[in-house]
Amino acid sequence: MKATRWTATVLVGFVAGLLTLPAAGLAAPAGPTQLGAADMTLLNGVRLAGLWEMPAGTMAAEKGSKEEVRKVGAEIAAQHDELDRLVVEAANKLGVQLPTEPSAQQKGWLDEMKGATWDRFDRIFVDRLRAAHGNIFPVIGVVRSSTRNDVVRTLAEQANGFVMNHMTLLESTGLVRYAELPPIALPAPQDEGLVAVAKANAEFGAGLSSTVIWAVLLGALALGSIATVRLVRRR
C-alpha cells in the first residue's frame, strides 16, 4: 500500500513538475543556423548592384567624355561581373533566390544616364555609383561582424574589397562631390543585455540547449515531487 502511494506520488510529482516548465523549455532542439535579415539584405544588395552597375559601367566605357571615366567604367563593369558570379555561387549554396533585374530606382538611374551626354553623363555616372557604394558599405560591415553563416561571412569579405576599390576608382575621377553625398544611417550600438541575446536566439531559431532543458526538467520534477509529498502527508 505504501509502495503504491509512493509510486503515485512520484508520478503526480513528475506531471506537476512538467506543468511548471516554461513554454520555451519545451521548444524543439536547436536546428541549423538560419539566415538573418541582414544576411538577406547583403545577398540581395550585392546582386542588385551588379544588375545595374555592370550596364552602367559599360555605358560609361562607351560614352564617357573623360578618359578617366571611360577607364573607371570599364573596370567597374568587369569587377562587377566577377562579384556577381560570387554572389550567385553563394546563393546557390544557401538555396536562396536572388533578384533577376534591377529595382525601379536603379532602372531610373540607367535611363537617366542613357539620356545624358558629355560632362553631364560623367557627373551622373559618378554621383549615382558613388552614392550607391556608400549605401552598401555599412551593410557589409554589419553583416561581416554579426553573421552566423560562413558562406555569408566570406561573401561579405569579398564584397568589402570590391566596394572599397570601386569607391576609390570613382573618387580618382575627381568628380565626387563629397558635400552632396547622401547621409548614411548607421546601425544602433548592439545591446549586450539578456533581452538582446533572447531576441537574437529567437530570430535565428537557436532555441535552448539540451543541457538547459534537462536541468530545468529535473529541477521542476524535484519541486513538483516535494510539493506533492507534502500534500499527501497533510491528508
Side-chain angles (χ1 to χ4, degrees):
M1 187 68 176
K2 290 183 178 180
T4 302
R5 177 176 292 183
W6 173 250
T7 301
T9 299
V10 172
L11 290 175
V12 172
F14 180 77
V15 174
L18 287 177
L19 292 177
T20 64
L21 284 172
L26 299 176
T33 301
Q34 299 177 2
L35 296 180
D39 297 333
M40 290 304 304
T41 297
L42 177 67
L43 287 164
N44 289 329
V46 171
R47 173 61 169 170
L48 286 169
L51 289 175
W52 86 274
E53 290 181 25
M54 278 190 283
T58 300
M59 203 184 310
E62 296 173 352
K63 61 185 296 187
S65 68
K66 293 184 178 181
E67 183 180 1
E68 294 88 346
V69 173
R70 293 194 295 271
K71 288 182 178 179
V72 167
E75 183 63 25
I76 288 179
Q79 290 190 21
H80 261 297
D81 183 65
E82 173 65 14
L83 181 56
D84 190 67
R85 181 185 64 79
L86 293 174
V87 71
V88 170
E89 288 180 356
N92 289 338
K93 291 178 182 179
L94 298 169
V96 172
Q97 186 173 359
L98 295 174
T100 57
E101 62 181 23
S103 67
Q105 184 182 47
Q106 292 166 341
K107 290 179 180 178
W109 293 337
L110 289 172
D111 290 339
E112 188 179 13
M113 293 179 197
K114 291 176 183 177
T117 56
W118 300 105
D119 291 347
R120 184 169 181 271
F121 172 85
D122 293 351
R123 179 70 67 185
I124 293 174
F125 169 74
V126 172
D127 283 349
R128 296 290 180 262
L129 267 74
R130 178 58 179 80
H133 283 84
N135 283 328
I136 193 67
F137 194 54
V139 175
I140 294 173
V142 170
V143 174
R144 174 60 183 84
S145 64
S146 64
T147 185
R148 303 183 181 187
N149 188 281
D150 292 339
V151 174
V152 175
R153 187 177 303 108
T154 298
L155 178 64
E157 293 175 354
Q158 294 166 334
N160 183 70
F162 280 99
V163 172
M164 279 288 293
N165 189 34
H166 293 177
M167 287 195 295
T168 301
L169 287 170
L170 292 165
E171 291 164 0
S172 71
T173 64
L175 298 176
V176 175
R177 295 176 289 189
Y178 296 98
E180 298 181 15
L181 289 174
I184 302 299
L186 295 176
Q190 293 185 354
D191 183 359
E192 298 295 338
L194 294 177
V195 175
V197 175
K199 287 182 179 179
N201 287 338
E203 178 183 356
F204 288 91
L208 296 176
S209 68
S210 58
T211 302
V212 174
I213 292 176
W214 277 108
V216 175
L217 175 63
L218 293 176
L221 174 60
L223 291 174
S225 299
I226 293 173
T228 305
V229 169
R230 289 178 178 177
L231 180 64
V232 172
R233 286 178 177 178
R234 288 176 182 176
R235 294 179 179 176

